[in-house]
Amino acid sequence: MEQVFSYIISLGASVMMPIIFTIIGLCIGMKFGKALLSGLYVGVGFVGLGVVTALLTNNFGDPLSAISQIYHLQLNVFDMGWPAAASVAYNTAVGALIIPICLGVNFLMLITKTTRTVNIDLWNYWHFAFIGAVAYFVMDESLAWGYFAAIICYIVTLVFADITADKFQGYYDNLDGISIPQPFVQSFVPFTWVINWVLDKIPGFSKLDIDAAGLKKKFGVLGEPLVLGVIVGILIGIVAKLDIKKILFLGITMGAVMELIPRVTKLFIDGLMPISEKTKEIVGKKFNGKRVNIGMSPALVIGHPTTLVATLLLIPTYLIIAVVLPGNQFLPLASLAGLFYLFPMILPYTKGNVVKTYVIGLVALAVGLYFVTNMAPDFTKAAAAVYAATGDQAAKVPEGFSAGSMDFASSLFGYVIYAFTKYLSWIGAGALVVVTAALMCYNRMQIIKDEKAAAQTIRNK
């Protein structure tokens, strides 16, 4: 099973997702041509996103490493990026069955009314497999602990996808009936609730209500993500002490990333919306009109202007924070492309306010640096075991370094499950079960309440 699922996953999202979405389209009654076209749009979207993010990681990796050497930054947790985390996730016994097990859990939650999300974002199931794989190695290669950690993370994520669905759909256009059951993205929601509330209590802070459109109006061409990208790229080149040609190239490259990402994300929408509309139609009939959300990838919305601006502002400050933060051993390099995924669930609560979004992202990332540093020894152990068994270069840890990644290793959900498992064992497991059960009960009460209200509305009509 490990070999079968590892092979399937090795196809990559650009190949796997068109196949999956074509099959889903056929199963829900779409014509073959339309289902195939939807799947291909999604696949092309992943190819485009991979090309654009590769521009960032391939061209900025060396300058950022040069900055580390020039200024003698002694940070010994090596940024492996998401490919290493995904490799660890799927090349273990936990990852082998994560997709069917999670789909089974999703089905049980639907029929018990503890979720209203159907999670078809199968590619991002590696997030659940990752925390399960780390728990597996932490607890002496115990499959029971590995699956326990993965399932807890899955359930919590589905509940948060439901809780945030109304805000998400209300903020983003043309995404009715969509939720985001991706744990990395959802793990920033608790930070958002708390920090957003605190910022609202600060006198005068509301006057800093600037969204991406307001930024353009206030600063003109300098407020454009494209121009901001060029400026940030040039500044990184200057700090890295590159020659003028390379400095200008970095500027244009960063600008290109900022400009191309919104264009690429449109492909996801073009591919996913026909499937979403058809699924809502089928679900409406099967569930007697009851509301069910379709769980999609956050890649749908990472091209939002505020996301681009906040990401640009965070890249240099995130690096500075990583250097000066006491006790941190992680310097983010390969993971920088993942910064775009911080914001899909933050923006609906900040209403696109650039300042609030930036502050929330910075605080969450600063805390996440400690998560990555603390988890590094066990991430290294897991990566070394996968590399020894498979020879996968993505999981190879450079000699003298520990392994780390911002992608999910800095996630609040993942780290809490990891810490409770490692440090509290059975007591931690019990606490996780209690909290998860409470979330499920809360979600069930909300779903039943909404169904009763909808039924009353129908009777009144």
Side-chain angles (χ1 to χ4, degrees):
M1 290 302 295
E2 286 180 42
Q3 292 176 349
V4 169
F5 277 92
S6 292
Y7 176 77
I8 294 172
I9 297 304
S10 71
L11 296 174
S14 59
V15 174
M16 189 175 78
M17 298 312 285
I19 295 172
I20 290 172
F21 280 105
T22 301
I23 293 172
I24 289 173
L26 293 174
C27 290
I28 62 177
M30 293 176 66
K31 292 182 179 180
F32 175 76
K34 194 170 183 179
L36 177 63
L37 191 60
S38 290
L40 289 175
Y41 271 128
V42 175
V44 172
F46 273 108
V47 170
L49 196 58
V51 170
V52 174
T53 54
L55 279 175
L56 187 63
T57 53
N58 292 344
N59 290 293
F60 284 84
D62 289 342
L64 292 172
S65 295
I67 291 172
S68 178
Q69 293 173 4
I70 291 170
Y71 299 100
H72 307 291
L73 307 180
Q74 301 299 317
L75 302 173
N76 59 12
V77 176
F78 183 77
D79 187 357
M80 304 284 286
W82 74 262
S87 178
V88 169
Y90 280 122
N91 283 293
T92 64
V94 176
L97 292 173
I98 198 68
I99 292 177
I101 285 176
C102 284
L103 287 175
V105 170
N106 198 164
F107 176 74
L108 289 174
M109 291 181 70
L110 284 168
I111 63 175
T112 57
K113 296 184 180 181
T114 50
T115 189
R116 54 163 59 107
T117 291
V118 180
N119 186 4
I120 62 174
D121 182 22
L122 299 184
W123 171 251
N124 279 316
Y125 275 44
W126 75 261
H127 289 267
F128 310 111
F130 173 76
I131 194 58
V134 173
Y136 167 78
F137 284 105
V138 165
M139 303 307 286
D140 299 321
E141 300 188 12
S142 167
L143 271 177
W145 278 102
Y147 283 121
F148 168 78
I151 291 170
I152 288 291
C153 187
Y154 189 74
I155 293 172
V156 171
T157 301
L158 285 179
V159 172
F160 267 79
D162 287 346
I163 292 172
T164 58
D166 287 340
K167 283 280 190 180
F168 177 83
Q169 295 165 18
Y171 182 75
Y172 295 103
D173 296 329
N174 303 317
L175 290 179
D176 291 342
I178 302 296
S179 63
I180 305 296
Q182 203 249 45
F184 179 71
V185 169
Q186 289 293 346
S187 72
F188 294 101
V189 172
F191 285 105
T192 303
W193 290 339
V194 174
I195 300 171
N196 198 45
W197 180 84
V198 171
L199 294 177
D200 284 340
K201 298 297 180 182
I202 299 175
F205 197 89
S206 60
K207 295 180 180 179
L208 298 175
D209 186 9
I210 305 173
D211 60 10
L215 201 66
K216 293 179 186 178
K217 186 176 180 180
K218 191 174 183 66
F219 295 100
V221 69
L222 294 178
E224 292 283 351
L226 169 59
V227 178
L228 285 172
V230 172
I231 293 171
V232 170
I234 288 174
L235 289 175
I236 290 174
I238 292 172
V239 175
K241 298 183 178 180
L242 303 179
D243 61 49
I244 186 64
K245 182 172 72 174
K246 291 181 180 178
I247 290 172
L248 294 175
F249 177 76
L250 284 184
I252 295 297
T253 300
M254 181 67 86
V257 171
M258 295 301 112
E259 183 66 21
L260 291 174
I261 280 183
R263 299 172 188 263
V264 170
T265 54
K266 185 179 181 299
L267 291 169
F268 288 103
I269 296 174
D270 291 341
L272 293 174
M273 290 316 296
I275 290 177
S276 174
E277 292 297 328
K278 185 66 176 179
T279 303
K280 283 189 285 185
E281 178 186 328
I282 298 297
V283 166
K285 294 178 181 177
K286 296 291 184 182
F287 287 82
N288 299 319
K290 294 176 182 177
R291 176 182 169 188
V292 175
N293 294 318
I294 309 303
M296 296 287 193
S297 169
L300 275 171
V301 293
I302 64 169
H304 191 279
T306 301
T307 290
L308 299 178
V309 172
T311 299
L312 276 173
L313 296 174
L314 267 179
I315 287 175
T317 47
Y318 185 31
L319 292 169
I320 293 170
I321 289 292
V323 172
V324 302
L325 200 64
N328 173 56
Q329 290 295 312
F330 176 68
L331 180 66
L333 297 175
S335 294
L336 288 177
L339 287 178
F340 296 103
Y341 290 90
L342 265 70
F343 303 107
M345 294 315 309
I346 295 179
L347 297 189
Y349 290 93
T350 63
K351 298 178 182 178
N353 185 317
V354 172
V355 179
K356 279 186 175 182
T357 302
Y358 169 76
V359 171
I360 292 168
L362 186 60
V363 173
L365 284 175
V367 175
L369 289 172
Y370 288 117
F371 293 164
V372 178
T373 299
N374 186 250
M375 194 187 291
D378 291 310
F379 189 176
T380 305
K381 181 179 177 182
V386 167
Y387 178 71
T390 66
D392 188 343
Q393 291 296 314
K396 185 178 181 181
V397 183
E399 189 175 348
F401 285 89
S402 297
S405 172
M406 184 198 75
D407 305 88
F408 200 56
S410 66
S411 159
L412 177 66
F413 292 172
Y415 182 77
V416 168
I417 294 170
Y418 161 79
F420 273 52
T421 301
K422 179 175 181 177
Y423 300 115
L424 299 176
S425 189
W426 290 104
I427 295 174
L432 289 171
V433 169
V434 169
V435 172
T436 303
L439 286 170
M440 293 172 72
C441 290
Y442 168 80
N443 204 33
R444 175 179 164 80
M445 288 190 293
Q446 291 298 117
I447 291 170
I448 292 173
K449 179 181 176 181
D450 290 347
E451 288 180 353
K452 287 181 178 179
Q456 184 63 44
T457 301
I458 292 172
R459 283 196 294 270
N460 292 339
K461 290 182 180 179

